Amino acid sequence: MASVRLSTPDTSLVGTQTTVLTVEARLQNPQGVRPVAGSWDDGSGSATCPCLFLAPGTGGRYPRVAPQANNSRAVPLTLVSGTPEDGIWRGTTRLGAINAGIWRPRSIYTED
């Protein structure tokens, strides 16, 4: 993984409001990044990956993500520019007011 960028509209959410968090990653692999079936160890889901796993972080002016919120995210990625050998991959996940706070990339799941 060469770089990662997370972006969301600068907004305050209340109640049941939601927003979309966009994830972009530049992935490089001389043999090419290939789609692979992924499933989570806790049995909570599966997706076609590559997937970027996000976890709550701390710091700055933003609060910690509420403990009752879903405290991790797996975001499936799709190639949007470049090639499987060196390309930009993008995915989205929906966040609600309860998910407000800092999210950080934790790991990526793909196949070599």
Side-chain angles (χ1 to χ4, degrees), residues 21-109:
L21 174 67
T22 301
V23 174
E24 281 190 357
R26 181 175 177 199
L27 304 180
Q28 298 172 308
N29 182 330
Q31 289 77 41
V33 175
R34 295 184 302 267
V36 60
S39 60
W40 323 150
D41 291 337
D42 64 3
S44 65
S46 63
T48 300
C49 294
C51 297
L52 186 67
F53 287 86
L54 304 175
T58 59
R61 63 184 172 98
Y62 298 100
R64 186 173 192 87
V65 176
Q68 66 269 35
N70 180 0
N71 284 329
S72 64
R73 299 280 172 156
V75 183
L77 304 174
T78 302
L79 182 64
V80 294
S81 69
T83 66
E85 293 78 19
D86 184 1
I88 303 296
W89 296 73
R90 183 181 299 143
T92 60
T93 188
R94 187 158 290 283
L95 299 176
I98 197 164
N99 305 115
I102 296 176
W103 288 87
R104 300 196 189 282
R106 185 181 72 200
S107 61
I108 191 153
Y109 179 78

